[in-house]
Amino acid sequence: MSKKVTIVGAGLVGSLLAALLGKRGHSVDIFERRPDIRKADISAGKSINMACSTRGWKALDLVGAGDKVREAAIAMNGRMMHGINESLTFQPYGKEGEAIYSISRAGLNQILIDHADQFDNVNFHFNHKCLDLDLDTPSATFEISNGDHKEVTTDLIFGTDGAFSAVRSVMQKLKHFNFSQEYISHDYKELSIDSNDGQFQMDKHALHIWPRGSHMLIALPNPDGSFTCTLFLPYEGGNSFEQLNSETEIRRFFEDKFPDALKLIPNLIELFNENPTSPLVIVRCFPWTYEDKVALIGDASHAIVPFYGQGMNAGFEDVSILDELMTKHGEDWNSLFLEFQATRKPDADAIADLALKNFIEMRDLVGQEWFLKRKKIERALYETFPGKFIPQYSMVSFTNTPYSEAVRIGNQQDLILDRLAETENILELIEQGNFKSFIESNNIIQN
Ligand code: FAD
Protein backbone atom coordinates (compact mmCIF):
# COMPACT_ATOMS: atom_id res chain seq x y z
CA MET A 1 0.00 0.00 0.00
CA SER A 2 1.24 3.46 -0.83
CA LYS A 3 2.52 5.46 2.16
CA LYS A 4 2.71 9.17 2.67
CA VAL A 5 6.45 9.66 3.14
CA THR A 6 8.36 12.72 4.33
CA ILE A 7 12.09 12.92 3.60
CA VAL A 8 14.16 15.56 5.39
CA GLY A 9 17.23 16.60 3.33
CA ALA A 10 17.54 16.54 -0.47
CA GLY A 11 21.28 15.86 -0.52
CA LEU A 12 22.76 12.84 -2.28
CA VAL A 13 21.09 10.13 -0.22
CA GLY A 14 17.74 11.91 0.26
CA SER A 15 17.20 12.52 -3.44
CA LEU A 16 18.21 8.95 -4.32
CA LEU A 17 15.79 7.63 -1.69
CA ALA A 18 13.03 9.89 -3.05
CA ALA A 19 13.54 8.33 -6.50
CA LEU A 20 13.35 4.82 -5.07
CA LEU A 21 10.19 5.49 -3.03
CA GLY A 22 8.66 7.35 -5.96
CA LYS A 23 9.38 4.38 -8.22
CA ARG A 24 7.75 2.11 -5.67
CA GLY A 25 4.58 4.22 -5.82
CA HIS A 26 4.73 6.01 -2.47
CA SER A 27 3.63 9.59 -2.14
CA VAL A 28 6.85 11.45 -1.31
CA ASP A 29 7.42 14.98 -0.03
CA ILE A 30 11.10 15.87 0.30
CA PHE A 31 12.16 19.00 2.19
CA GLU A 32 15.52 20.73 1.79
CA ARG A 33 16.75 23.73 3.76
CA ARG A 34 18.82 25.13 0.87
CA PRO A 35 17.52 26.64 -2.37
CA ASP A 36 17.20 24.39 -5.43
CA ILE A 37 20.78 23.42 -6.34
CA ARG A 38 19.70 22.98 -9.99
CA LYS A 39 19.39 26.76 -10.23
CA ALA A 40 22.81 27.41 -8.67
CA ASP A 41 25.85 28.29 -10.77
CA ILE A 42 28.43 25.59 -10.05
CA SER A 43 31.74 26.49 -11.60
CA ALA A 44 34.71 24.13 -11.60
CA GLY A 45 36.48 23.98 -8.29
CA LYS A 46 33.45 25.11 -6.31
CA SER A 47 32.20 21.66 -5.43
CA ILE A 48 33.84 18.70 -3.74
CA ASN A 49 34.35 15.70 -5.99
CA MET A 50 33.09 12.30 -4.98
CA ALA A 51 34.61 8.96 -5.90
CA CYS A 52 31.74 6.66 -6.83
CA SER A 53 32.35 2.91 -6.76
CA THR A 54 30.43 -0.35 -7.10
CA ARG A 55 28.02 0.13 -4.17
CA GLY A 56 27.15 3.59 -5.44
CA TRP A 57 26.57 2.37 -9.00
CA LYS A 58 24.34 -0.47 -7.79
CA ALA A 59 21.97 1.97 -6.07
CA LEU A 60 22.09 4.49 -8.94
CA ASP A 61 21.21 1.73 -11.41
CA LEU A 62 18.44 0.50 -9.14
CA VAL A 63 16.60 3.81 -9.49
CA GLY A 64 17.54 4.15 -13.18
CA ALA A 65 19.92 7.10 -12.74
CA GLY A 66 23.21 5.24 -13.37
CA ASP A 67 23.61 6.08 -17.05
CA LYS A 68 22.99 9.80 -16.54
CA VAL A 69 25.62 9.84 -13.81
CA ARG A 70 28.10 7.86 -15.95
CA GLU A 71 27.93 10.59 -18.60
CA ALA A 72 29.21 13.14 -16.06
CA ALA A 73 31.83 10.92 -14.40
CA ILE A 74 35.52 10.21 -15.14
CA ALA A 75 37.15 6.84 -14.49
CA MET A 76 40.15 6.86 -12.17
CA ASN A 77 42.09 3.61 -12.63
CA GLY A 78 44.56 4.14 -9.80
CA ARG A 79 46.44 6.47 -7.53
CA MET A 80 49.15 8.70 -8.96
CA MET A 81 51.58 9.50 -6.17
CA HIS A 82 53.50 12.76 -6.46
CA GLY A 83 56.83 12.53 -4.62
CA ILE A 84 58.43 15.52 -2.95
CA ASN A 85 61.09 15.40 -5.72
CA GLU A 86 58.22 15.65 -8.27
CA SER A 87 58.51 11.93 -9.14
CA LEU A 88 55.33 10.11 -10.22
CA THR A 89 54.35 6.56 -9.19
CA PHE A 90 51.15 4.96 -10.44
CA GLN A 91 49.39 2.29 -8.41
CA PRO A 92 46.32 0.64 -10.01
CA TYR A 93 43.27 0.33 -7.78
CA GLY A 94 42.34 -3.12 -8.99
CA LYS A 95 42.46 -5.37 -12.00
CA GLU A 96 42.30 -4.17 -15.59
CA GLY A 97 38.94 -2.43 -16.08
CA GLU A 98 38.33 -1.74 -12.38
CA ALA A 99 38.08 1.95 -11.58
CA ILE A 100 36.46 4.39 -9.22
CA TYR A 101 34.69 7.38 -10.78
CA SER A 102 35.12 11.09 -10.13
CA ILE A 103 31.97 13.19 -10.13
CA SER A 104 31.20 16.60 -8.71
CA ARG A 105 28.96 16.41 -5.66
CA ALA A 106 26.84 19.33 -6.83
CA GLY A 107 26.52 17.89 -10.35
CA LEU A 108 25.49 14.51 -8.96
CA ASN A 109 22.98 16.12 -6.61
CA GLN A 110 21.44 18.01 -9.55
CA ILE A 111 21.10 14.80 -11.57
CA LEU A 112 19.49 12.94 -8.67
CA ILE A 113 17.01 15.72 -7.88
CA ASP A 114 16.07 15.93 -11.56
CA HIS A 115 15.69 12.18 -11.70
CA ALA A 116 13.43 11.94 -8.62
CA ASP A 117 11.45 14.99 -9.77
CA GLN A 118 10.30 13.07 -12.85
CA PHE A 119 7.90 11.05 -10.70
CA ASP A 120 4.51 12.74 -10.31
CA ASN A 121 4.27 11.33 -6.80
CA VAL A 122 7.55 12.99 -5.66
CA ASN A 123 7.43 16.65 -4.63
CA PHE A 124 10.46 18.75 -3.69
CA HIS A 125 10.15 21.63 -1.23
CA PHE A 126 13.27 23.82 -1.16
CA ASN A 127 14.04 26.51 1.45
CA HIS A 128 12.35 24.34 4.08
CA LYS A 129 14.47 23.83 7.18
CA CYS A 130 13.38 21.09 9.55
CA LEU A 131 13.16 22.46 13.08
CA ASP A 132 11.43 19.76 15.04
CA LEU A 133 9.65 16.41 14.89
CA ASP A 134 6.89 14.68 16.77
CA LEU A 135 8.08 11.10 16.54
CA ASP A 136 4.80 9.49 17.61
CA THR A 137 2.39 11.22 15.22
CA PRO A 138 4.73 11.35 13.20
CA SER A 139 4.99 14.96 12.01
CA ALA A 140 7.72 17.43 11.13
CA THR A 141 7.88 21.21 11.51
CA PHE A 142 9.70 23.31 8.91
CA GLU A 143 10.77 26.93 8.77
CA ILE A 144 10.17 28.40 5.33
CA SER A 145 11.99 31.35 3.77
CA ASN A 146 9.61 34.06 5.05
CA GLY A 147 10.16 32.78 8.61
CA ASP A 148 6.76 31.07 8.84
CA HIS A 149 6.47 27.56 10.24
CA LYS A 150 4.74 24.65 8.49
CA GLU A 151 3.75 21.35 10.10
CA VAL A 152 3.51 18.20 8.00
CA THR A 153 1.78 15.05 9.26
CA THR A 154 2.80 11.85 7.53
CA ASP A 155 3.10 8.03 7.75
CA LEU A 156 6.88 7.75 7.61
CA ILE A 157 9.79 10.15 8.09
CA PHE A 158 13.29 9.53 6.72
CA GLY A 159 16.09 11.71 8.11
CA THR A 160 18.63 12.13 5.30
CA ASP A 161 19.79 15.49 6.59
CA GLY A 162 23.48 14.71 6.96
CA ALA A 163 26.04 14.60 9.76
CA PHE A 164 24.37 17.36 11.78
CA SER A 165 20.89 15.89 11.35
CA ALA A 166 17.92 17.72 12.88
CA VAL A 167 15.91 14.47 12.78
CA ARG A 168 18.63 12.68 14.76
CA SER A 169 18.79 15.50 17.30
CA VAL A 170 15.13 14.82 18.16
CA MET A 171 15.79 11.06 18.42
CA GLN A 172 18.75 11.80 20.70
CA LYS A 173 16.28 12.75 23.41
CA LEU A 174 14.88 9.21 23.47
CA LYS A 175 15.78 6.92 26.32
CA HIS A 176 18.75 4.63 25.50
CA PHE A 177 19.72 6.51 22.33
CA ASN A 178 23.51 6.28 21.93
CA PHE A 179 25.39 8.98 20.09
CA SER A 180 28.98 10.04 19.54
CA GLN A 181 30.52 12.77 17.42
CA GLU A 182 34.28 12.97 16.93
CA TYR A 183 36.24 15.61 15.03
CA ILE A 184 39.53 14.33 13.69
CA SER A 185 42.74 16.35 13.97
CA HIS A 186 42.55 17.48 10.32
CA ASP A 187 40.40 20.00 8.47
CA TYR A 188 40.13 20.31 4.70
CA LYS A 189 40.06 23.03 2.07
CA GLU A 190 39.12 22.89 -1.62
CA LEU A 191 41.58 24.21 -4.23
CA SER A 192 41.59 23.67 -7.98
CA ILE A 193 43.86 23.14 -10.97
CA ASP A 194 42.44 24.77 -14.08
CA SER A 195 42.48 23.14 -17.49
CA ASN A 196 45.01 24.35 -20.04
CA ASP A 197 42.62 25.41 -22.81
CA GLY A 198 40.41 22.38 -22.19
CA GLN A 199 43.44 20.05 -21.77
CA PHE A 200 44.15 18.15 -18.54
CA GLN A 201 47.43 19.24 -16.97
CA MET A 202 47.95 15.84 -15.30
CA ASP A 203 46.90 12.26 -16.05
CA LYS A 204 43.12 12.38 -16.43
CA HIS A 205 42.41 8.82 -15.30
CA ALA A 206 44.01 8.91 -11.86
CA LEU A 207 43.32 10.13 -8.39
CA HIS A 208 46.39 12.27 -7.70
CA ILE A 209 47.89 12.16 -4.21
CA TRP A 210 50.69 14.14 -2.62
CA PRO A 211 51.26 12.07 0.57
CA ARG A 212 53.34 13.99 3.10
CA GLY A 213 52.91 12.32 6.47
CA SER A 214 50.80 14.59 8.64
CA HIS A 215 49.30 16.37 5.64
CA MET A 216 48.10 15.51 2.17
CA LEU A 217 46.82 17.00 -1.05
CA ILE A 218 44.58 15.10 -3.47
CA ALA A 219 43.15 16.00 -6.90
CA LEU A 220 40.23 14.46 -8.81
CA PRO A 221 39.51 15.12 -12.52
CA ASN A 222 36.50 16.99 -13.94
CA PRO A 223 35.12 16.58 -17.49
CA ASP A 224 36.09 20.21 -18.38
CA GLY A 225 39.82 19.42 -17.95
CA SER A 226 40.18 20.88 -14.46
CA PHE A 227 40.96 19.04 -11.22
CA THR A 228 39.27 19.62 -7.89
CA CYS A 229 41.88 19.44 -5.14
CA THR A 230 41.45 18.91 -1.44
CA LEU A 231 44.12 19.90 1.04
CA PHE A 232 44.07 18.07 4.39
CA LEU A 233 46.04 19.66 7.22
CA PRO A 234 45.87 19.58 11.01
CA TYR A 235 43.74 22.46 12.22
CA GLU A 236 46.35 23.47 14.82
CA GLY A 237 50.03 22.91 15.60
CA GLY A 238 52.93 22.55 13.12
CA ASN A 239 52.11 22.93 9.41
CA SER A 240 48.46 23.52 10.26
CA PHE A 241 45.71 25.70 8.82
CA GLU A 242 46.09 27.84 11.93
CA GLN A 243 49.75 28.53 11.09
CA LEU A 244 49.34 29.15 7.38
CA ASN A 245 47.95 32.61 7.81
CA SER A 246 50.05 34.77 5.51
CA GLU A 247 50.76 34.75 1.80
CA THR A 248 54.44 34.06 2.48
CA GLU A 249 53.67 31.13 4.79
CA ILE A 250 51.23 29.54 2.32
CA ARG A 251 53.59 29.90 -0.62
CA ARG A 252 56.59 28.65 1.33
CA PHE A 253 54.60 25.62 2.51
CA PHE A 254 53.57 24.69 -1.03
CA GLU A 255 57.10 25.27 -2.41
CA ASP A 256 58.38 22.89 0.27
CA LYS A 257 55.73 20.21 0.17
CA PHE A 258 53.89 20.33 -3.14
CA PRO A 259 56.26 22.03 -5.63
CA ASP A 260 54.75 20.44 -8.77
CA ALA A 261 51.19 21.23 -7.66
CA LEU A 262 52.14 24.83 -6.93
CA LYS A 263 53.15 25.30 -10.58
CA LEU A 264 49.63 24.25 -11.61
CA ILE A 265 47.80 26.51 -9.13
CA PRO A 266 48.90 30.06 -10.02
CA ASN A 267 45.92 31.48 -8.09
CA LEU A 268 46.77 29.49 -4.93
CA ILE A 269 46.68 32.44 -2.53
CA GLU A 270 43.34 33.67 -3.82
CA LEU A 271 41.77 30.17 -3.55
CA PHE A 272 43.33 29.51 -0.17
CA ASN A 273 41.94 32.71 1.27
CA GLU A 274 38.54 32.54 -0.44
CA ASN A 275 37.61 28.90 0.18
CA PRO A 276 36.43 27.86 3.62
CA THR A 277 38.30 25.47 5.89
CA SER A 278 35.92 22.73 6.97
CA PRO A 279 36.11 20.10 9.71
CA LEU A 280 35.84 16.32 9.34
CA VAL A 281 33.53 14.50 11.69
CA ILE A 282 32.69 10.90 12.53
CA VAL A 283 29.16 10.28 13.79
CA ARG A 284 27.97 7.02 15.31
CA CYS A 285 24.55 6.46 16.83
CA PHE A 286 21.99 3.79 17.62
CA PRO A 287 19.12 3.05 17.20
CA TRP A 288 18.59 4.40 13.71
CA THR A 289 14.82 3.89 13.66
CA TYR A 290 11.80 4.67 15.79
CA GLU A 291 8.95 2.14 15.69
CA ASP A 292 7.53 1.91 12.16
CA LYS A 293 7.66 5.68 11.80
CA VAL A 294 11.12 7.25 11.56
CA ALA A 295 14.48 6.15 10.13
CA LEU A 296 17.89 7.78 9.75
CA ILE A 297 19.79 7.06 6.52
CA GLY A 298 23.22 8.09 5.18
CA ASP A 299 25.44 10.55 7.05
CA ALA A 300 22.61 11.26 9.52
CA SER A 301 23.28 7.87 11.12
CA HIS A 302 26.88 7.12 10.06
CA ALA A 303 29.09 10.01 8.95
CA ILE A 304 32.67 8.90 8.29
CA VAL A 305 35.94 10.52 7.22
CA PRO A 306 36.38 10.71 3.42
CA PHE A 307 39.61 8.71 3.07
CA TYR A 308 38.13 5.50 1.66
CA GLY A 309 35.81 7.39 -0.69
CA GLN A 310 32.89 5.48 0.82
CA GLY A 311 30.63 7.90 2.77
CA MET A 312 28.24 8.49 -0.10
CA ASN A 313 28.65 4.92 -1.39
CA ALA A 314 27.64 3.62 2.05
CA GLY A 315 24.62 5.95 2.13
CA PHE A 316 23.61 4.77 -1.35
CA GLU A 317 24.03 1.17 -0.20
CA ASP A 318 21.59 1.94 2.66
CA VAL A 319 19.06 2.70 -0.07
CA SER A 320 19.74 -0.58 -1.97
CA ILE A 321 19.36 -2.53 1.26
CA LEU A 322 16.13 -0.74 2.15
CA ASP A 323 14.84 -1.70 -1.28
CA GLU A 324 15.59 -5.39 -0.66
CA LEU A 325 13.93 -5.20 2.75
CA MET A 326 10.83 -3.49 1.33
CA THR A 327 10.42 -6.47 -0.99
CA LYS A 328 10.99 -8.89 1.87
CA HIS A 329 8.77 -7.27 4.53
CA GLY A 330 6.06 -5.64 2.42
CA GLU A 331 3.77 -3.62 4.69
CA ASP A 332 5.55 -4.56 7.90
CA TRP A 333 7.68 -1.42 8.34
CA ASN A 334 8.40 -2.24 11.95
CA SER A 335 10.20 -5.51 11.06
CA LEU A 336 11.78 -3.83 8.05
CA PHE A 337 13.32 -1.04 10.15
CA LEU A 338 14.47 -3.45 12.87
CA GLU A 339 16.23 -5.68 10.35
CA PHE A 340 17.69 -2.67 8.56
CA GLN A 341 19.39 -1.22 11.60
CA ALA A 342 20.48 -4.59 13.02
CA THR A 343 22.21 -5.74 9.84
CA ARG A 344 23.53 -2.38 8.72
CA LYS A 345 25.03 -0.99 11.94
CA PRO A 346 28.03 -3.42 12.06
CA ASP A 347 28.78 -2.55 8.43
CA ALA A 348 28.59 1.20 9.12
CA ASP A 349 30.99 0.78 12.05
CA ALA A 350 33.33 -1.30 9.89
CA ILE A 351 33.59 1.29 7.11
CA ALA A 352 34.05 4.08 9.69
CA ASP A 353 37.10 2.22 11.04
CA LEU A 354 38.43 1.38 7.58
CA ALA A 355 38.13 5.02 6.49
CA LEU A 356 40.22 6.19 9.43
CA LYS A 357 42.81 3.48 8.72
CA ASN A 358 42.98 4.56 5.08
CA PHE A 359 43.77 8.12 6.18
CA ILE A 360 47.08 6.85 7.52
CA GLU A 361 47.61 4.78 4.37
CA MET A 362 46.95 7.70 2.02
CA ARG A 363 48.80 10.47 3.80
CA ASP A 364 51.80 8.45 4.89
CA LEU A 365 52.20 4.82 3.86
CA VAL A 366 51.62 5.13 0.10
CA GLY A 367 54.93 6.95 -0.15
CA GLN A 368 56.92 4.26 1.67
CA GLU A 369 59.02 1.53 0.08
CA TRP A 370 57.82 -1.39 2.25
CA PHE A 371 54.20 -0.45 1.68
CA LEU A 372 54.65 -0.43 -2.09
CA LYS A 373 56.31 -3.85 -1.81
CA ARG A 374 53.31 -5.16 0.16
CA LYS A 375 50.97 -3.74 -2.50
CA LYS A 376 52.93 -5.54 -5.24
CA ILE A 377 52.58 -8.84 -3.38
CA GLU A 378 48.88 -8.19 -2.81
CA ARG A 379 48.39 -7.52 -6.50
CA ALA A 380 50.28 -10.65 -7.47
CA LEU A 381 48.05 -12.71 -5.17
CA TYR A 382 44.94 -11.11 -6.70
CA GLU A 383 46.14 -11.78 -10.25
CA THR A 384 47.31 -15.32 -9.53
CA PHE A 385 44.38 -16.45 -7.33
CA PRO A 386 41.53 -14.12 -8.37
CA GLY A 387 38.82 -16.39 -6.95
CA LYS A 388 40.56 -16.85 -3.62
CA PHE A 389 42.30 -13.59 -2.81
CA ILE A 390 40.48 -10.29 -3.35
CA PRO A 391 42.36 -7.39 -1.71
CA GLN A 392 40.42 -5.49 0.92
CA TYR A 393 40.40 -2.29 -1.15
CA SER A 394 38.86 -4.22 -4.06
CA MET A 395 36.28 -5.89 -1.81
CA VAL A 396 35.22 -2.49 -0.51
CA SER A 397 35.32 -0.61 -3.81
CA PHE A 398 34.54 -3.20 -6.47
CA THR A 399 32.18 -5.67 -4.76
CA ASN A 400 29.11 -5.52 -2.56
CA THR A 401 30.71 -7.68 0.15
CA PRO A 402 29.39 -6.37 3.48
CA TYR A 403 31.93 -3.95 4.96
CA SER A 404 32.20 -5.99 8.19
CA GLU A 405 33.04 -9.08 6.14
CA ALA A 406 35.71 -7.11 4.22
CA VAL A 407 37.28 -6.20 7.58
CA ARG A 408 37.23 -9.82 8.78
CA ILE A 409 38.80 -11.15 5.56
CA GLY A 410 41.24 -8.21 5.43
CA ASN A 411 42.58 -9.12 8.89
CA GLN A 412 43.37 -12.65 7.66
CA GLN A 413 45.00 -11.23 4.53
CA ASP A 414 47.23 -8.96 6.63
CA LEU A 415 48.80 -12.02 8.24
CA ILE A 416 49.52 -13.55 4.82
CA LEU A 417 50.95 -10.29 3.47
CA ASP A 418 53.14 -9.76 6.56
CA ARG A 419 54.56 -13.24 6.12
CA LEU A 420 55.20 -12.82 2.38
CA ALA A 421 56.72 -9.36 2.80
CA GLU A 422 59.33 -10.91 5.09
CA THR A 423 60.31 -13.42 2.40
CA GLU A 424 63.52 -11.92 1.06
CA ASN A 425 63.32 -12.78 -2.65
CA ILE A 426 59.54 -12.42 -2.97
CA LEU A 427 59.63 -9.68 -5.62
CA GLU A 428 62.05 -11.74 -7.73
CA LEU A 429 59.72 -14.74 -7.43
CA ILE A 430 56.90 -12.57 -8.80
CA GLU A 431 59.03 -11.13 -11.61
CA GLN A 432 60.45 -14.52 -12.61
CA GLY A 433 57.00 -16.17 -12.73
CA ASN A 434 57.71 -18.52 -9.79
CA PHE A 435 55.20 -16.91 -7.43
CA LYS A 436 52.30 -19.34 -7.98
CA SER A 437 54.36 -22.45 -7.31
CA PHE A 438 55.95 -20.80 -4.23
CA ILE A 439 52.54 -19.97 -2.75
CA GLU A 440 51.12 -23.39 -3.54
CA SER A 441 54.09 -25.38 -2.32
CA ASN A 442 54.09 -23.45 0.96
CA ASN A 443 50.33 -23.84 1.34
CA ILE A 444 49.91 -20.07 1.83
CA ILE A 445 46.58 -19.91 0.01
CA GLN A 446 44.41 -22.95 0.64
CA ASN A 447 42.95 -24.72 -2.36
P1 FAD B 1 24.47 15.33 2.84
O1 FAD B 1 25.14 15.18 1.55
O2 FAD B 1 25.16 16.11 3.92
O3 FAD B 1 23.04 15.93 2.60
C1 FAD B 1 22.21 16.35 3.65
C2 FAD B 1 21.19 17.32 3.08
O4 FAD B 1 20.28 17.67 4.11
C3 FAD B 1 21.82 18.63 2.59
O5 FAD B 1 21.29 18.96 1.34
C4 FAD B 1 21.41 19.64 3.66
O6 FAD B 1 21.29 20.95 3.17
C5 FAD B 1 20.07 19.08 4.11
N1 FAD B 1 19.71 19.46 5.48
C6 FAD B 1 20.51 19.50 6.57
N2 FAD B 1 19.81 19.90 7.66
C7 FAD B 1 18.55 20.11 7.23
C8 FAD B 1 17.36 20.53 7.90
N3 FAD B 1 17.35 20.83 9.21
N4 FAD B 1 16.21 20.65 7.18
C9 FAD B 1 16.19 20.36 5.84
N5 FAD B 1 17.31 19.97 5.15
C10 FAD B 1 18.46 19.83 5.86
N6 FAD B 1 31.84 9.90 -0.13
C11 FAD B 1 32.10 9.00 -1.11
O7 FAD B 1 31.41 7.98 -1.26
N7 FAD B 1 33.15 9.21 -1.96
C12 FAD B 1 33.98 10.28 -1.84
O8 FAD B 1 34.93 10.41 -2.62
C13 FAD B 1 33.73 11.23 -0.81
N8 FAD B 1 34.53 12.31 -0.67
C14 FAD B 1 34.28 13.19 0.33
C15 FAD B 1 35.15 14.28 0.49
C16 FAD B 1 34.94 15.17 1.52
C17 FAD B 1 35.92 16.31 1.70
C18 FAD B 1 33.84 15.01 2.40
C19 FAD B 1 33.61 15.96 3.53
C20 FAD B 1 32.97 13.93 2.24
C21 FAD B 1 33.18 13.01 1.21
N9 FAD B 1 32.35 11.90 1.03
C22 FAD B 1 32.61 10.99 0.05
C23 FAD B 1 31.20 11.67 1.92
C24 FAD B 1 29.91 12.19 1.33
O9 FAD B 1 30.03 13.56 1.04
C25 FAD B 1 28.77 11.97 2.29
O10 FAD B 1 28.80 10.68 2.82
C26 FAD B 1 27.43 12.19 1.58
O11 FAD B 1 27.35 13.53 1.13
C27 FAD B 1 26.28 11.90 2.53
O12 FAD B 1 25.08 12.19 1.89
P2 FAD B 1 23.80 12.55 2.74
O13 FAD B 1 22.73 12.81 1.74
O14 FAD B 1 23.59 11.53 3.79
O15 FAD B 1 24.17 13.89 3.51
Side-chain angles (χ1 to χ4, degrees), residues 82 87 96 113 128 167 185 198 219 238 290 315 323 327 336-337 356 369 371 387 398 420 434 440:
H82 294 243
S87 62
E96 187 77 34
I113 292 176
H128 279 64
V167 176
S185 53
Y290 179 74
D323 181 63
T327 303
L336 189 162
F337 280 173
L356 261 180
E369 206 57 44
F371 179 82
F398 305 127
L420 290 176
N434 300 325
E440 283 171 346

Side-chain angles (χ1 to χ4, degrees), residues 8-14 31-34 48-51 105 128-130 160-162 166 188 280 298-299 306 309-313:
V8 179
L12 301 176
V13 175
F31 297 86
E32 167 58 47
R33 74 172 170 197
R34 293 174 311 184
I48 290 177
N49 276 41
M50 301 278 115
R105 183 216 290 263
H128 279 64
K129 180 182 176 188
C130 180
T160 51
D161 49 345
Y188 72 94
L280 292 167
D299 273 18
Q310 284 295 315
M312 169 195 76
N313 286 287

Side-chain angles (χ1 to χ4, degrees), residues 1-7 14-15 17-31 113-125 154:
M1 200 180 73
S2 156
K3 288 273 185 195
K4 182 169 159 45
V5 181
T6 296
I7 300 178
S15 28
L17 179 66
L20 174 75
L21 295 172
K23 196 173 159 219
R24 279 185 161 266
H26 296 289
S27 165
V28 180
D29 284 286
I30 173 163
F31 297 86
I113 292 176
D114 251 349
H115 188 72
D117 213 6
Q118 289 177 85
F119 295 95
D120 291 342
N121 48 332
V122 174
N123 290 302
F124 280 86
H125 307 269
T154 180

Side-chain angles (χ1 to χ4, degrees), residues 153-185:
T153 300
T154 180
D155 295 329
L156 286 171
I157 298 178
F158 285 97
T160 51
D161 49 345
F164 301 98
S165 166
V167 176
R168 188 188 63 233
S169 71
V170 175
M171 289 174 69
Q172 273 170 240
K173 293 177 196 135
L174 290 168
K175 217 195 292 181
H176 302 147
F177 188 93
N178 287 316
F179 167 71
S180 74
Q181 169 183 300
E182 183 193 343
Y183 285 100
I184 65 162
S185 53

